[in-house]
Amino acid sequence: MPSRDFSLHGAIDLGARQAASRKQQERRAQGGGAPPQGAPGGPYVVDVTDQTFNTEVVERSQSVPVLVDFWAEWCGPCKQLGPILEKLATEAAGKWILAKVDVDANPQLGAYMQQMGVRGIPFVAAVVAGQLLPFLNGAAPEPQVRQAIDQLFDALRKEGILPDAPEGEQPAPGEEAPAADPVYSAAEEALQRGDLDGAKLAFERILAADPRDGEAKQGLALVELSLRVRSLDAERVLQEAAEKPGDVQAQISASDVEMVSGRIDDAFDRLVGAVRRGAGDDRDAARKHLLSLFELLPPDDPRVGKARRGLQSALF
């Protein structure tokens, strides 16, 4: 979840890394240039590699803030957070840049992330004027991510690190600032307070008014998962599930632990197996929980399709 401390005091200075990266690039110069960069979200979203981090992130951060999204293909929560960040970067239209780092394909940056004490992904860092600030650790619904980014840049402006918003972006005299979306206000306020129960209620109210609201569905699913796992001992839960394969509730709890750790296929396979072995209420509980976990991923995610086929096979 987003960090509440946006102070740059104690931030990691990337100057040493910048110098080392330049030397590495000079050594590689005879072997050809860096691979071309893709633009998954337009000009404001760039893919970054071990070789291009210095140019795309450290040097660029001298003129514009850069948010660095550390992700991996196997990480389910990364696939929830990534599109949100890309959408917000496109909306920002150059006020900040999103740099995406595949930690599996870029071992140096993956190792560097671990040296910072980060043990899990998704992880997002803010880089401003060559300094790195840990920012987000874990997935969150779009309203919470948007709020966290706004708070980050407000704090940076107060510290004099970023200039105030240009006059053209301020409301004209006598003109009110655009109102926040009232539909999400209660959810945003609850998430800002860390009130997961309040956020759950707010998302439920949104869905009662519009059952097709995809963002609210994902927000509710993430909040409910956070509520379920916040008091669990992950190691003990997985051990109990291994010792009691016929205990459906143990399998359900273990699937939640696997989801938050990015082991999506394991969580889905566990519940499909519970449906196949179970009967009556136990079988139905495993089925319903599996369907609820599908809400955490995009509908077209191949792992969801695979699990749906497995569920149909187990049921019929």
Side-chain angles (χ1 to χ4, degrees):
M1 293 299 176
S3 168
R4 297 300 181 191
D5 180 8
F6 298 121
S7 172
L8 278 184
H9 296 296
I12 301 169
D13 190 342
L14 298 179
R17 177 177 173 82
Q18 182 177 10
S21 179
R22 282 177 177 163
K23 291 180 181 179
Q24 288 181 337
Q25 290 181 19
E26 290 172 359
R27 294 191 190 104
R28 293 190 180 99
Q30 295 180 347
Q37 295 306 300
Y44 312 117
V45 182
V46 295
D47 287 319
V48 176
T49 68
D50 287 335
Q51 292 74 35
T52 62
F53 184 84
N54 178 60
T55 302
E56 296 286 359
V57 176
V58 182
E59 293 182 0
R60 182 176 289 194
S61 74
Q62 301 296 334
S63 58
V64 63
V66 180
L67 298 186
V68 185
D69 176 20
F70 293 87
W71 69 283
E73 181 64 30
W74 49 263
C75 172
C78 296
K79 293 185 177 181
Q80 300 158 23
L81 180 62
I84 293 173
L85 293 171
E86 291 177 19
K87 175 185 176 182
L88 298 181
T90 301
E91 288 181 6
K95 295 177 184 177
W96 55 273
I97 301 297
L98 176 65
K100 298 177 69 67
V101 175
D102 183 341
V103 296
D104 288 342
N106 298 280
Q108 293 179 18
L109 290 171
Y112 182 66
M113 183 189 72
Q114 292 182 354
Q115 290 171 8
M116 289 188 286
V118 180
R119 293 294 177 262
I121 54 176
F123 169 69
V124 181
V127 182
V128 183
Q131 294 189 78
L132 182 147
L133 173 66
F135 176 45
L136 298 177
N137 197 345
E142 180 180 328
Q144 187 175 2
V145 176
R146 187 186 295 273
Q147 181 75 20
I149 291 175
D150 289 343
Q151 289 179 342
L152 169 68
F153 291 132
D154 285 346
L156 295 176
R157 276 190 284 270
K158 288 178 182 178
E159 293 192 15
I161 298 170
L162 291 180
D164 292 331
E167 291 184 4
E169 298 179 9
Q170 302 295 338
E175 178 184 346
E176 294 184 0
D181 186 346
V183 176
Y184 280 91
S185 293
E188 290 178 357
E189 291 172 3
L191 289 169
Q192 187 175 0
R193 297 192 304 270
D195 179 6
L196 293 176
D197 292 312
K200 179 177 183 292
L201 180 60
F203 282 124
E204 287 174 340
R205 288 173 176 168
I206 294 170
L207 288 171
D210 182 5
R212 296 175 297 177
D213 191 317
E215 292 178 4
K217 285 183 180 179
Q218 185 183 59
L220 178 60
L222 283 167
V223 168
E224 288 180 333
L225 179 61
S226 298
L227 284 167
R228 292 196 300 268
V229 302
R230 64 180 175 182
S231 61
L232 295 180
D233 181 324
E235 185 175 348
R236 180 177 298 175
V237 165
L238 293 174
Q239 182 178 352
E240 182 177 355
E243 294 173 350
K244 301 177 180 178
D247 186 332
V248 170
Q249 188 54 54
Q251 303 308 313
I252 287 175
S253 295
S255 71
D256 284 343
V257 169
E258 288 168 335
M259 286 296 292
V260 298
S261 63
R263 296 165 57 189
I264 310 300
D265 285 327
D266 289 345
F268 289 171
D269 289 346
R270 179 184 296 278
L271 291 175
V272 169
V275 170
R276 183 174 290 113
R277 294 188 303 268
D281 291 343
D282 283 349
R283 189 187 203 199
D284 196 48
R287 179 187 65 84
K288 288 180 178 179
H289 196 74
L290 178 58
L291 294 177
S292 75
L293 295 186
F294 289 163
E295 298 290 346
L296 291 162
L297 299 177
D300 59 352
D301 189 294
R303 291 167 298 185
V304 173
K306 176 185 174 183
R308 286 191 185 279
R309 292 189 295 272
L311 177 59
Q312 290 176 352
S313 175
L315 288 172
F316 305 108

